[in-house]
Amino acid sequence: MEGRRVIGWAARDSSGHLSPYSFTLREPGPEDVVFKVLYCGMDHTDLHQMRNEIHSTNYPLVPGHEVVGQVVELGSDVKKFRVKDIVGVGCIVGSCGECLSCKSNEEQYCNNRILTYNGTDKDGRPTQGGFSSAMVVHHKFVVRIPEKLAPEQAAPLLCAGVTAYSPLKQFKGFNKALKAGILGLGGVGHLGVLIAKAMGHHVTVISSSDKKRVEALEQLGADAFLISSNTAEMEQAASSLDYILDTVPAVHPLQSYLPLLKVDGKLMLVGVAPKPLQFDSVDLILGKKTISGSLIGSMEETQEILEFWALKGLTSMVEVVKMDYSNQAFERMERNDVRYRFVLDVAGSNLE
Ligand code: NAP
Ligand code: ZN
């Protein structure tokens, strides 16, 4: 790693097109972990950010926040890892450490969180993500990948997995079988199905078409499948769900989904809609319903979901691709043509 020059793939403008980009990593300090990137999951948020759809994107932008790597160097104060360990990094690489959120182990809600990419590092330089050959990250934001998990399987858990796990965790250990709805069967949604099933819930997938029915029921183990445009089916399912995890990355009519909830039911938004969503207040008031949001998960929850996955022997559905396929993969993601998460084989790709 001479001069710590690395090669990543970056978007240069809001077209989002990725191409090779050479840059330097920050000098590691005593609390940092330096690792070679092995695999990196591809998240719809990457696409939102590459296209400047969320908040202002600084270009060049190297995306990637589901990063699995192998430790090559450790700062002198880092005791929890050894060289060669397989480690993971999710969506954030820093926070203030002092605010209420940080003190209550919810550092993802710290106003001074540092995003893994499109953030500003402590040295004032832009952070760059896991679509690159190596990274330097403070050890507090690095998790251990359990030995039982294949690295390409672990990658999607670092953002998509913990994004589903964090809001669902509140229902863990309920003694009655809860009725769950997973809205949108993509990267986050398919992991949501597996997690909710592993927690013992009855799971209904709510999808925009019939295309994923067989996989949802037979491979992911969902109990029921609803097509959101089928009014009769939706009416029949009214007042049947305790919660809905909404993963849709687009503007969609909440008034179609709120009636599916029982009294006191919760619609938990994790999908980022590029424009404001609308709902009818009466739908909430008459049924004491709640709409809430949730951002990824804490570092503690990130480690928890990895252990949960290993313990329950779960398998996510991934399609492993090389870096030169990344632009095509994002196009397919946009066309809703991925089963269910692309994972980049970064170490096995020619990045030049
Ligand atoms: P994805 O793989 O593209 O999946 C999204 C799914 O939503 C699609 O598979 C599709 O499922 C459904 N969908 C897509 N377009 C739709 C439309 N116009 N109307 C209705 N349904 C539609 O995306 P992802 O990586 O899972 O991410 C999902 C969203 O969560 C993104 O907005 C992403 O930015 C966000 N996210 C948020 C967090 C957080 O911390 N809150 C973390 C990670 C990701 P069907 O075919 O079943 O309809
Ligand atoms: Zn803080």
Side-chain angles (χ1 to χ4, degrees), residues 95-102 110-112:
S95 70
C96 81
E98 281 162 16
C99 69
L100 205 57
S101 298
C102 284
C110 171
N111 285 330
N112 293 314

